Amino acid sequence: MILIDFGIICREQKKRSFPRSIPKVRFQSHIRRENSEAMYDDFYHFEAADKLTGIWYFAWLTDDIFLEQSFFNIADKGSPWIYAVPEWEETVRAILAFYLKASPIHKIAVLPRIQDRSANVTHAECTLDEFMDKLKAGDIRWNELYNIG
């Protein structure tokens, strides 16, 4: 298992919200304004993500699961390609759907991240279904920003 952070930027959201109906998941949040400091240190700075305003959420599994599993794993084609672990696929979808609805402009950005240099790659907007299809097929890369709307 490789630890891949699950970051979601709920675009233009002003007030924090957490999905209470999703068990076994913990959330941390940071408000992102135009003048906010960069989210990561100089080793890993993602300028495109840092320009997005709203609330940035990090999701992870509760401690009893976290040490054994992650939401994501490395896809058949190898790193940096990932897929959603089948057991957590519907949970990932539910989290993304919740924040897509919570965004006043119904747009989110997703950044699956590991501590590695970023190429600062940003993908064009896609639907939630398109993103989940790519994730299921192992066609999502870590440290790249995916826009969903």
Side-chain angles (χ1 to χ4, degrees):
M1 176 187 78
I2 186 168
L3 180 58
I4 300 169
D5 288 347
F6 185 11
I8 305 117
I9 303 168
C10 189
R11 307 266 318 270
E12 303 302 323
Q13 187 184 35
K14 305 288 187 229
K15 185 178 176 185
R16 291 178 172 104
S17 60
F18 302 97
R20 304 208 189 289
S21 62
I22 299 177
K24 302 179 182 178
V25 179
R26 297 175 62 192
F27 294 90
Q28 179 182 2
S29 64
H30 301 279
I31 296 173
R32 303 288 304 144
R33 295 185 177 94
E34 288 180 19
N35 60 350
S36 292
E37 294 290 322
M39 282 297 291
Y40 299 105
D41 60 22
D42 291 335
F43 180 71
Y44 179 86
H45 181 62
F46 204 112
E47 292 88 6
D50 283 330
K51 291 178 184 175
L52 299 177
T53 57
I55 300 179
W56 193 321
Y57 295 91
F58 295 98
W60 67 93
L61 298 168
T62 54
D63 293 343
D64 58 323
I65 302 169
F66 176 73
L67 298 175
E68 302 287 328
Q69 296 184 41
S70 176
F71 289 110
F72 310 107
N73 206 344
I74 296 175
D76 289 341
K77 55 180 98 175
S79 64
W81 301 95
I82 63 170
Y83 71 94
V85 173
E87 178 180 349
W88 299 109
E89 190 174 308
E90 286 307 311
T91 301
V92 169
R93 177 184 287 281
I95 292 168
L96 296 179
F98 176 87
Y99 286 114
L100 196 54
K101 186 175 180 181
S103 166
I105 60 172
H106 303 291
K107 294 180 186 292
I108 60 174
V110 177
L111 182 60
R113 185 189 79 85
I114 66 164
Q115 291 184 350
D116 191 8
R117 285 227 181 258
S118 166
N120 211 24
V121 174
T122 302
H123 294 267
E125 188 173 296
C126 64
T127 67
L128 178 57
D129 287 339
E130 290 168 335
F131 179 81
M132 290 305 299
D133 287 346
K134 289 179 184 178
L135 190 57
K136 188 174 184 176
D139 289 334
I140 297 293
R141 296 170 60 122
W142 69 50
N143 291 356
E144 294 188 5
L145 188 70
Y146 293 86
N147 291 292
I148 302 172

